[in-house]
Amino acid sequence: MNLDLLAIAAHPDDVELTCGGTLLKMAQRGYKTGILDLTAGEMGTRGTPETRAKEAAKAATLLAVKWRGTLGVPDSDVQPSRQNKLRLAAVIRDLRPKTVILPYWEARHPDHYHASTLGYEGCFLAGLKQLPIEGEAYRPFKILYSISYADVRPTFVVDISAQYQQRRKAILAFRSQFRPPKSEKKGKVPLAIDRLEAEMNQLARHYGQMIGVDYGEPFQQRELLKVEDIVKMDVRSI
């Protein structure tokens, strides 16, 4: 399968929260999209790996992705080890995505910033012809970083106003995380996930307003952004 766009993240539901609207928008434009969860989320306080796998499959359907897989890296121990990089490079060679979305390289959760490093280095190694893995050498053309969690200024924002409600359905497909039974006993350690869905919705509105629309998802790229026509650029300055 040759994917146009592949989003890579540490845990099931990370992609839905940070760039799910963008994935859906690209799928609606006819692009082949995919999601690679590095872990099964087995260390999460709520839900089992089996439950989260079912939820992930439902969310993938809601976002119209063509492919979703799990790399099998241990949850809470996402590391850019040689073994993990080779496994990821093999997936990149198999899926051959033109564009890859990674988590931002700084984050509260160690798995998230390690996922960013692992993702970049796996994409790079996939292009080494002599790498001891199967498949033809290949590298994605573009790597983007989802910065919804990060307090940094985006390079650009994608308008997801038309996709927002479907994105929210995909997030809430993870009922074990965002809609647990009221009878569930609360632990002594506060869970950031208790307010995460509301915060991500608020951020989507914030970034949307920054570009003059209802909802948006922010991204960064390390290289300069090329513009051909400065007369037809979007977003009003005054």
Side-chain angles (χ1 to χ4, degrees), residues 154-159 207-208 210-211 215-219:
T155 306
F156 63 89
V157 176
V158 176
D159 177 6
Y207 284 111
M210 287 182 69
I211 61 169
Y215 297 99
E217 287 177 338
F219 296 88

Side-chain angles (χ1 to χ4, degrees), residues 76-232:
S76 80
D77 194 26
V78 174
Q79 296 290 338
S81 66
R82 180 67 173 178
Q83 179 184 13
N84 289 340
K85 287 186 284 189
L86 290 178
R87 291 166 65 187
L88 180 53
V91 174
I92 295 298
R93 286 187 176 187
D94 184 41
L95 298 178
R96 307 180 74 79
K98 182 174 183 180
T99 300
V100 170
I101 298 175
L102 299 177
Y104 187 61
W105 53 87
E106 294 179 358
R108 179 187 69 88
H109 195 314
D111 278 356
H112 292 173
Y113 58 76
H114 285 313
S116 183
T117 301
L118 172 57
Y120 176 84
E121 294 187 11
C123 288
F124 182 88
L125 291 180
L128 298 179
K129 184 178 180 180
Q130 303 301 328
L131 201 69
I133 60 174
E134 294 184 359
E136 182 181 356
Y138 177 83
R139 282 193 188 123
F141 176 79
K142 178 67 70 175
I143 293 180
L144 304 175
Y145 295 89
S146 175
I147 63 167
S148 293
Y149 288 124
D151 186 20
V152 295
R153 188 170 181 84
T155 306
F156 63 89
V157 176
V158 176
D159 177 6
I160 62 160
S161 302
Q163 293 76 31
Y164 172 76
Q165 292 300 332
Q166 189 76 350
R167 182 192 89 148
R168 189 160 188 264
K169 289 180 181 179
I171 293 172
L172 295 180
F174 293 90
R175 294 191 64 84
S176 66
Q177 308 302 303
F178 301 107
R179 293 295 186 269
K182 293 182 179 180
S183 59
E184 180 181 281
K185 184 178 179 180
K186 291 187 177 181
K188 295 182 180 180
V189 179
L191 298 179
I193 201 168
D194 283 336
R195 60 181 186 273
L196 190 54
E197 192 257 334
E199 287 181 353
M200 300 311 289
N201 291 335
Q202 185 178 22
L203 284 170
R205 181 176 290 278
H206 166 72
Y207 284 111
Q209 290 176 341
M210 287 182 69
I211 61 169
V213 302
D214 291 333
Y215 297 99
E217 287 177 338
F219 296 88
Q220 262 198 13
Q221 61 179 47
R222 291 180 183 267
E223 59 278 2
L224 291 177
L225 185 64
K226 179 182 177 181
V227 175
E228 290 288 348
D229 191 334
I230 62 172
V231 177
K232 293 183 178 180

